[in-house]
Amino acid sequence: MDIRSHESPDVVQEPGNPADQVQQLQAKVAQLERAVHSHAVIDQAIGVVIAAGRLTPAEAWDLLRETSMRTNTKLRHVADLAVTLGVTGNLTADIRTQLARRLNGEN
């Protein structure tokens, strides 16, 4: 019986040679750097929505998440747009419409 067949698919198998290990570690670091950056942008967007809509952090998070789902736009992109709104006052029409609906209590 092969023991590896029972391992979680998320478990990374150790490669046979050091070059493969380095490549896997570099890919993992890049992935983590993207995740940290995305998290920071989402946090900034929550701040913009809190200030603009006078919402709680939880309400701002829900607004961003639901806007992402309803517009079929990645959450990170919605967050980027919200941060841009905070800087420039400009926002794409579809995102602006969804945010306004949610801020006004509409579904």
Side-chain angles (χ1 to χ4, degrees), residues 50-107:
I50 288 169
R54 297 180 185 225
L55 303 174
T56 67
E59 290 169 331
W61 162 249
D62 287 343
L63 185 142
L64 291 170
R65 185 178 48 79
E66 289 178 22
T67 299
S68 170
M69 289 187 303
R70 290 174 188 247
T71 60
N72 197 28
T73 305
K74 289 186 182 264
L75 178 61
R76 186 190 187 301
H77 186 62
V78 170
D80 276 334
L81 293 172
V83 171
T84 299
L85 168 67
V87 174
T88 67
N90 297 323
L91 194 59
T92 63
D94 59 337
I95 302 296
R96 182 176 51 246
T97 300
Q98 272 307 315
L99 289 175
R101 282 184 181 155
R102 292 277 298 129
L103 285 171
N104 292 327
E106 300 173 22
N107 287 327

Side-chain angles (χ1 to χ4, degrees), residues 35-48 64 75-84:
V36 166
H37 179 69
S38 291
H39 187 73
V41 170
I42 291 168
D43 285 346
Q44 292 167 2
I46 288 171
V48 169
L64 291 170
L75 178 61
R76 186 190 187 301
H77 186 62
V78 170
D80 276 334
L81 293 172
V83 171
T84 299

